[in-house]
Amino acid sequence: MIQVDIEEERKEILKRYRRLLRQAKPVLKAGDAKLIKRAFNVSLEAHKDMRRKSGEPYIYHPLEVALVCVEEIGLGTTSIVAALLHDVVEDTDWELEDIEREFGHKVMTIIDGLTKISGVFDYGSSQQAENFRKMLLTLSDDVRVILIKLADRLNNMRTLQSMPRHKQLKISSETMYLYAPLAHRLGLYAIKSELEDLYLKYTDTETYQDIVNKIQQSRSLRNRFIKKFIQPIDEELNRQGFHYTIKGRPKSVYSIYSKMKKQGIPFDEVYDLFAVRIILESELESEKADCWQVYSIVTDFYQPNPDRLRDWISTPRSNGYESLHTTVMSNTGQWVEVQIRTNRMDEIAERGYAAHWKYKERESKAPSGLDDWITQVRGLLESNEANAIEFMDDFRGNLFHEEVFVFTPKGDLKVLPHGATALDFAFEIHTEVGAKCIGAKVNQRLVPISHQLKNGDQVEILTSNKQKPNEDWLNVVVTSRAKAKIKDALREEKKSSILDGKEIVRRKLKQMKMNFNSETVEKLRAYYELKTANEFYYRVGKGIIDPTTIRSFKDFLEKQKEKQKALQERVKDESTFTREIKSIKGPEHDQLLIGEDMDVVDYILAKCCNPIPGDDVFGFVTVNEGIKIHRTSCPNAVELLSNHGNRVIKARWTSQKEIAFLAGLHIIGTDRVGLINDVTKVISNELKVNMRSITVDSDAGIFEGTIKLYVHSTGHLDKLMEDLSKVEGIIKVSRFD
């Protein structure tokens, strides 16, 4: 039992509370401090007997969340009060009515949006996705719900080390799946970067630590380089009478990791490891001219890369971000990214939505990209009848990063996500125009509806009254608005087919003496490998699925029943599974041991990521195939852990060696006679590895090949990769899934 010094804790709580008040002081109006004190006392009392997993008093958490709201997002009193009280309704006897009575309707609405939904969920739906949909419904009234949620998530990620491993994976994946893109969309770059870095820290600790160490090692070298690089710019800016600050900072760990992964290069080859930022003190009316003047000063000293100029001052990004980016060649032959912006732009870039509102009140012409986006989200929520997981996928599609700027025939600017098509543009103009679109003229040239738009295109939509949306259109569009409108149109058409199909299925099940209920239908849906029950009804109604084949489903069900029953009992949730393992294997075992527990419970290795011993893994309870083992770096891991965290179980490998696992290697090198022979020799002679296949391609003296082979563990695979990289002519050996 940990000894707790109550007096010390009391002092620490007061210290944190005073820090919060100090930070909030600039935004407080008369009576605000009293309100915050009342909220703090309510929270302190409500959580008095609660502790976090780390052993600290629970009140630290709401205090830290409120501090993030003030310090890092720049929110005011209402948000501080809501942040202090955000867990009170969920964790204690307080009801929303009590909050409204004590702190007013606004605070109550925000806390309602932040409170998880309790109760029973449809079979096959996801509680996490439902909670997120609920939170977004409040977003359309008050964006502070999402901002406080992001502050809450940031604090949870910062204190994740005290959580068990499977919880770390679930929470990190959920963060990467939703909260980091959301922070990006709301312009909170500092928070987005920290969330991504923490995700990497907990899902791939080794890589994270490696990059952090390398950034640390190159720090003094980097500082010397930056100092030398900015010296001539500094002198010229002073000579021309600018007031400014210059910062040099490394890119985030995650963005370096992404570059390494995307381009398949080591740390040393990532050329823009840091950015130099020039922040000007400038009057609103002369901002644009000042930034371009500084750009011309920078490019007088250093040669710019013409492909890397990004002008987000003339056309700000849709999350309000404004800045001028250029990449220039330094005297030492290194590329350096230079960002030029004003104090106002910098605050919007760092604090996103909150700063956007602050400046909006001051200016007559406000940046409207974010307001447009919120209107879009509102539209998506109102028209979406799909299940929560499908909704989440649509919503994530809305958190686009890159954008294209295109024009109507009259010259109005429209901002669309990267990859948008002529059909997306048509729905952007109006639902009716989209629904009747048969093609478009892009820069006066006739193109099909699937034509991808580029920056600066001028688009005219061609329509016909005979045209109507069809299923294939969903593969043509990328915007959530277009997807939602096409689905609406298809839904109307589908309704009658669905009703017909439902009736046919009802009659067929009655003949087979089976119950017609949601569980049977869910199993039928899974049997025919379709996404929703309505999809199944629709196909039966349309005659795509022959109703007589439902008979074979009954036989399949009989075989599955016994297996399923045992599994469902065992894994209603992670804790009952853990209890089951403990009861069979003894109290010190709380996880699935891969290689030993086949007799305890059925599991298979997932084909999407082919895990091998030594890989970091987790178990996932599927509806029809028992437990599947995935690598934590599996492409599907983020989605599984985010939407179905309750079906994740802890798993690790035993030390046994006799099983062989399939792994893939990608090899690049310079071609020479006998290279293949040397490669296969290493594989078969030195390590007695069984090879399944090898494919090789040689072009202009460059050799590229993939090899699939059976190994015992990651250690075994690493040894093999090391030996292969020593073969003369081999430049790079990497593993692929």
Side-chain angles (χ1 to χ4, degrees):
M1 186 70 188
I2 306 165
Q3 279 298 306
V4 176
D5 186 332
I6 299 294
E7 190 49 38
E8 276 306 307
E9 275 187 356
R10 201 180 65 79
K11 281 183 191 161
E12 178 62 27
I13 291 168
L14 281 175
K15 190 173 134 195
R16 291 182 187 217
Y17 169 62
R18 287 191 186 117
R19 183 180 166 199
L20 172 67
L21 283 182
R22 242 191 345 270
Q23 291 295 334
K25 202 173 179 189
V27 298
L28 297 185
K29 298 189 200 65
D32 282 357
K34 245 187 198 152
L35 195 64
I36 292 171
K37 187 178 181 181
R38 197 154 88 239
F40 167 67
N41 285 331
V42 166
S43 187
L44 188 61
E45 177 59 28
H47 297 304
K48 67 172 187 280
D49 300 324
M50 294 168 66
R51 291 195 170 267
R52 302 199 78 187
K53 278 272 192 292
S54 58
E56 293 178 335
Y58 195 87
I59 187 68
Y60 285 5
H61 171 63
L63 277 169
E64 291 299 316
V65 173
L67 194 61
V68 172
C69 288
V70 179
E71 252 184 346
E72 298 177 52
I73 307 179
L75 296 170
T77 305
T78 308
S79 303
I80 296 171
V81 170
L84 287 169
L85 300 168
H86 77 273
D87 280 334
V88 166
V89 173
E90 211 164 283
D91 297 341
T92 71
D93 297 337
W94 273 68
E95 300 285 341
L96 284 167
E97 292 73 36
D98 305 327
I99 300 275
E100 184 169 28
R101 191 178 59 248
E102 289 287 319
F103 299 97
H105 183 70
K106 204 68 187 147
V107 173
M108 184 275 287
T109 315
I110 294 173
I111 289 173
D112 183 29
L114 290 164
T115 305
K116 294 191 186 83
I117 303 168
S118 56
V120 184
F121 287 86
D122 292 346
Y123 192 79
S125 88
S126 152
Q127 183 159 353
Q128 277 129 307
E130 292 285 0
N131 282 324
F132 203 81
R133 192 205 303 233
K134 176 191 175 190
M135 192 167 69
L136 285 169
L137 279 163
T138 330
L139 158 86
S140 34
D141 302 323
D142 197 328
V143 75
R144 286 175 292 195
V145 174
I146 297 283
L147 296 173
I148 296 167
K149 186 66 193 174
L150 283 168
D152 177 38
R153 177 52 55 136
L154 183 62
N155 182 249
N156 283 334
M157 287 296 285
R158 283 171 176 172
T159 54
L160 206 55
Q161 71 275 10
S162 51
M163 284 293 199
R165 177 79 183 130
H166 66 290
K167 279 275 173 61
Q168 288 179 349
L169 284 175
K170 172 184 167 304
I171 293 167
S172 304
S173 298
E174 204 176 270
T175 300
M176 199 60 194
Y177 182 72
L178 271 172
Y179 294 101
L182 195 54
H184 174 95
R185 196 63 192 76
L186 292 169
L188 297 159
Y189 285 102
I191 288 179
K192 170 214 175 214
S193 298
E194 191 177 344
L195 289 174
E196 288 176 339
D197 285 0
L198 288 164
Y199 161 78
L200 190 62
K201 181 179 174 181
Y202 289 106
T203 54
D204 192 346
T205 313
E206 208 175 304
T207 307
Y208 172 82
Q209 220 31 70
D210 188 40
I211 296 173
V212 168
N213 294 342
K214 282 178 174 154
I215 292 174
Q216 292 285 13
Q217 284 158 15
S218 59
R219 177 180 280 173
S220 58
L221 205 69
R222 191 170 60 241
N223 289 344
R224 276 203 304 278
F225 174 83
I226 290 173
K227 206 170 171 184
K228 207 168 165 189
F229 176 85
I230 63 179
Q231 191 191 342
I233 301 171
D234 217 10
E235 288 166 6
E236 186 58 28
L237 287 172
N238 285 327
R239 204 180 64 72
Q240 295 199 20
F242 279 103
H243 296 284
Y244 62 93
T245 44
I246 299 187
K247 298 175 188 171
R249 54 183 203 90
K251 293 275 176 79
S252 74
V253 179
Y254 185 80
S255 68
I256 294 171
Y257 164 77
S258 297
K259 273 214 164 92
M260 287 163 62
K261 208 169 167 188
K262 204 170 168 182
Q263 296 168 15
I265 52 175
F267 179 87
D268 313 326
E269 288 175 33
V270 178
Y271 71 77
D272 49 353
L273 276 172
F274 53 85
V276 170
R277 186 175 293 163
I278 303 170
I279 302 166
L280 308 171
E281 285 177 31
S282 181
E283 291 302 315
L284 195 63
E285 52 281 357
S286 59
E287 280 188 339
K288 203 168 165 181
D290 289 351
C291 288
W292 281 109
Q293 199 176 336
V294 172
Y295 170 78
S296 84
I297 291 170
V298 172
T299 52
D300 282 346
F301 294 107
Y302 301 109
Q303 188 65 37
N305 178 340
D307 297 334
R308 305 271 304 189
L309 176 65
R310 299 283 181 271
D311 172 12
W312 285 308
I313 293 177
S314 311
T315 44
R317 299 178 88 156
S318 59
N319 57 13
Y321 182 82
E322 294 172 75
S323 193
L324 192 57
H325 292 198
T326 179
T327 302
V328 298
M329 177 60 81
S330 69
N331 301 333
T332 56
Q334 234 177 317
W335 287 108
V336 180
E337 186 183 322
V338 181
Q339 303 173 352
I340 304 162
R341 57 174 76 153
T342 63
N343 279 329
R344 178 190 69 83
M345 294 172 189
D346 191 54
E347 193 178 349
I348 286 177
E350 291 301 316
R351 291 187 157 185
Y353 208 91
H356 157 85
W357 280 109
K358 183 172 115 183
Y359 285 103
K360 186 176 173 174
E361 286 161 18
R362 273 192 229 161
E363 302 165 25
S364 53
K365 187 178 171 296
S368 64
L370 278 166
D371 306 326
D372 292 348
W373 178 69
I374 284 189
T375 310
Q376 266 181 19
V377 173
R378 197 173 295 151
L380 186 66
L381 286 156
E382 283 162 6
S383 68
N384 206 304
E385 295 169 19
N387 71 25
I389 293 178
E390 204 176 309
F391 164 75
M392 287 306 313
D393 284 342
D394 276 358
F395 176 73
R396 281 184 77 234
N398 227 4
L399 303 174
F400 47 80
H401 291 212
E402 295 301 318
E403 291 153 349
V404 287
F405 299 94
V406 290
F407 298 91
T408 66
K410 287 183 179 167
D412 295 334
L413 178 71
K414 296 280 176 193
V415 184
L416 292 166
H418 178 72
T421 59
L423 190 54
D424 282 304
F425 181 86
F427 276 103
E428 191 63 29
I429 301 293
H430 195 278
T431 307
E432 283 299 303
V433 176
K436 292 178 179 173
C437 174
I438 52 168
K441 276 186 180 174
V442 172
N443 308 328
Q444 304 301 315
R445 200 167 57 83
L446 208 59
V447 297
I449 58 173
S450 57
H451 176 82
Q452 276 200 11
L453 302 175
K454 293 195 292 296
N455 269 329
D457 280 346
Q458 192 162 21
V459 191
E460 182 188 346
I461 297 299
L462 308 172
T463 60
S464 156
N465 285 332
K466 291 190 177 131
Q467 179 70 298
K468 59 180 186 187
N470 62 52
E471 286 276 357
D472 295 338
W473 281 22
L474 289 170
N475 302 323
V476 171
V477 295
V478 297
T479 58
S480 329
R481 178 191 168 92
K483 279 185 179 166
K485 296 300 177 193
I486 293 167
K487 283 177 183 171
D488 281 351
L490 293 175
R491 211 174 276 129
E492 285 309 308
E493 195 195 327
K494 262 186 168 186
K495 269 181 185 164
S496 62
S497 297
I498 289 171
L499 290 171
D500 294 346
K502 203 169 186 176
E503 195 44 50
I504 294 168
V505 173
R506 191 195 302 274
R507 285 204 304 272
K508 198 76 202 155
L509 289 176
K510 197 175 176 186
Q511 283 170 17
M512 288 156 60
K513 299 193 168 45
M514 287 179 76
N515 288 334
F516 177 73
N517 57 27
S518 60
E519 201 169 330
T520 310
V521 171
E522 172 59 24
K523 285 175 182 168
L524 269 164
R525 176 204 66 73
Y527 177 69
Y528 285 101
E529 293 179 352
L530 296 169
K531 274 192 175 166
T532 63
N534 279 350
E535 187 62 35
F536 167 63
Y537 292 142
Y538 173 71
R539 290 187 178 212
V540 174
K542 277 280 195 191
I544 302 165
I545 291 177
D546 180 356
T548 57
T549 60
I550 296 178
R551 211 161 262 298
S552 58
F553 160 72
K554 191 176 184 183
D555 306 334
F556 166 78
L557 214 53
E558 295 300 324
K559 289 176 194 160
Q560 284 287 310
K561 219 168 203 170
E562 288 311 307
K563 203 172 176 184
Q564 188 69 10
K565 196 176 175 190
L567 186 66
Q568 290 288 21
E569 277 308 305
R570 187 170 291 133
V571 285
K572 282 196 186 101
D573 59 36
E574 192 268 338
S575 56
T576 47
F577 179 84
T578 305
R579 281 202 296 278
E580 178 78 10
I581 289 275
K582 282 182 177 175
S583 70
I584 294 169
K585 304 194 66 189
E588 69 284 1
H589 296 278
D590 67 343
Q591 53 192 331
L592 176 65
L593 284 180
I594 308 161
E596 277 185 14
D597 289 342
M598 265 298 195
D599 51 340
V600 178
V601 65
D602 259 358
Y603 60 83
I604 51 174
L605 302 177
K607 290 212 169 46
C608 48
C609 56
N610 283 329
I612 63 176
D615 283 334
D616 216 350
V617 289
F618 64 92
F620 183 76
V621 183
T622 63
V623 176
N624 288 322
E625 299 176 277
I627 293 167
K628 276 191 175 178
I629 306 298
H630 291 266
R631 278 162 63 184
T632 53
S633 59
C634 168
N636 299 318
V638 169
E639 202 268 334
L640 294 175
L641 291 156
S642 310
N643 281 330
H644 308 282
N646 59 318
R647 285 159 56 185
V648 171
I649 52 182
K650 287 185 274 187
R652 68 177 173 82
W653 302 94
T654 57
S655 55
Q656 46 138 35
K657 284 271 180 160
E658 44 291 353
I659 313 176
F661 296 86
L662 188 64
L665 292 180
H666 188 226
I667 296 180
I668 298 173
T670 50
D671 204 3
R672 63 171 172 82
V673 177
L675 181 63
I676 294 277
N677 191 23
D678 291 353
V679 166
T680 50
K681 215 182 268 174
V682 169
I683 294 170
S684 48
N685 295 5
E686 290 187 24
L687 281 154
K688 309 284 181 286
V689 173
N690 185 5
M691 196 159 43
R692 179 165 128 179
S693 69
I694 180 165
T695 54
V696 177
D697 196 15
S698 179
D699 182 24
I702 297 294
F703 156 95
E704 209 167 323
T706 56
I707 304 169
K708 289 183 184 170
L709 34 77
Y710 290 95
V711 293
H712 300 310
S713 67
T714 44
H716 190 189
L717 186 64
D718 291 344
K719 168 85 171 80
L720 179 59
M721 286 166 73
E722 194 185 320
D723 289 355
L724 283 171
S725 58
K726 288 176 189 161
V727 172
E728 187 200 335
I730 297 284
I731 295 167
K732 187 177 171 203
V733 182
S734 55
R735 176 181 173 186
F736 68 88
D737 296 336

